[in-house]
């Protein structure tokens, strides 16, 4: 599955759909990657805000319902998932990748749950994965919107493997 909204930093919008490969016996592994220098910078807040301002609040509610259902689908997927996290992995981008069997990070990877910086709270299942970080580091990340690089993601178990980004340029 390829995120392909590079001009919008691969933000998730209502139109982005996932294909179900779970029941296809030919598919043994699903790879999540992006067509850009970022993996995914979260949800498309601009579109949601615009629709709410135009009086279409139900659109925003429907968008979040769809995003959270996608997060749940990927968290409970029956086949192995491999996420190539080259570049920014922020908010909703974390939600669609954090439960992958393999989370490959690079020297370009930047992880963040910055919702608190705009007056919201980390969603997309953050209370589940942040609470499992050692000590109080998950609380720190959730309350400050702190950014982590690929090496830090490996140390805290948010990434599973490190691969230099130049390897993906060959693929």
């Amino acid at each position: 599955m390829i995120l392909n909204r590079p001009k919008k930093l691969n933000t998730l919008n209502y139109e982005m759909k996932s294909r179900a490969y779970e029941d296809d016996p030919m598919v043994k592994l699903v790879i999540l990657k992006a067509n850009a220098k970022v993996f995914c910078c979260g949800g498309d807040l601009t579109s949601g805000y615009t629709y709410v301002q135009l009086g279409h609040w139900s659109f925003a509610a429907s968008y979040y319902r769809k995003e959270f259902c996608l997060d749940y689908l990927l968290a409970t997927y029956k086949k192995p998932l491999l996420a190539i996290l080259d570049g920014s992995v922020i908010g909703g981008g974390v939600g669609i990748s954090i439960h992958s069997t393999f989370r490959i990070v690079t020297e370009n990877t930047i992880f963040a749950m910055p919702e608190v910086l705009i007056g919201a709270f980390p969603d997309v299942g953050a209370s589940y994965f942040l609470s499992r970080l050692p000590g109080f580091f998950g609380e720190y990340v959730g309350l400050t919107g702190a950014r982590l690089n690929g090496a830090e993601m490996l140390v805290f178990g948010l990434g599973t493997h490190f691969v230099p980004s130049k390897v993906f340029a060959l693929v």
Side-chain angles (χ1 to χ4, degrees):
M1 297 189 316
I2 300 173
L3 301 177
N4 193 21
R5 291 184 74 211
K7 291 181 181 175
K8 294 283 190 173
L9 303 177
N10 288 322
T11 54
L12 302 171
N13 68 0
Y14 194 77
E15 290 79 26
M16 292 178 91
K17 297 174 176 57
S18 68
R19 295 185 198 168
Y21 297 108
E22 266 187 306
D23 298 325
D24 186 339
M26 299 296 292
V27 175
K28 304 298 181 200
L29 171 76
V30 175
I31 299 172
L32 303 171
K33 63 179 266 180
N35 182 17
K37 293 184 180 192
V38 300
F39 177 73
C40 177
C41 284
D44 188 350
L45 299 178
T46 304
S47 293
Y49 180 77
T50 300
Y51 280 105
V52 169
Q53 292 301 309
L54 294 172
H56 301 292
W57 63 268
S58 62
F59 177 83
S62 181
Y63 164 78
Y64 281 108
R65 181 175 48 254
K66 185 175 180 179
E67 180 181 0
F68 295 155
C69 285
L70 175 61
D71 294 339
Y72 179 77
L73 169 74
L74 294 172
T76 59
Y77 217 67
K78 295 174 186 163
K79 294 189 178 183
L81 295 171
L82 182 149
I84 300 172
L85 307 175
D86 187 26
S88 297
V89 184
I90 298 175
V94 174
I96 64 171
S97 63
I98 195 69
H99 301 291
S100 297
T101 313
F102 307 102
R103 294 174 303 280
I104 296 175
V105 297
T106 72
E107 71 279 5
N108 300 324
T109 304
I110 298 171
F111 168 99
M113 295 299 298
E115 291 85 350
V116 69
L117 302 174
I118 60 169
F121 57 88
D123 53 6
V124 301
S127 61
Y128 177 81
F129 60 84
L130 290 179
S131 68
R132 283 158 174 73
L133 297 182
F136 294 99
F137 193 69
E139 287 87 342
Y140 170 76
V141 169
L143 291 171
T144 65
R147 293 174 178 239
L148 307 175
N149 63 33
E152 292 165 330
M153 286 180 69
L154 285 174
V155 167
F156 291 105
L158 297 168
T160 60
H161 298 80
F162 180 88
V163 175
S165 62
K166 66 182 177 184
V167 170
F168 299 117
L170 304 173
V171 180

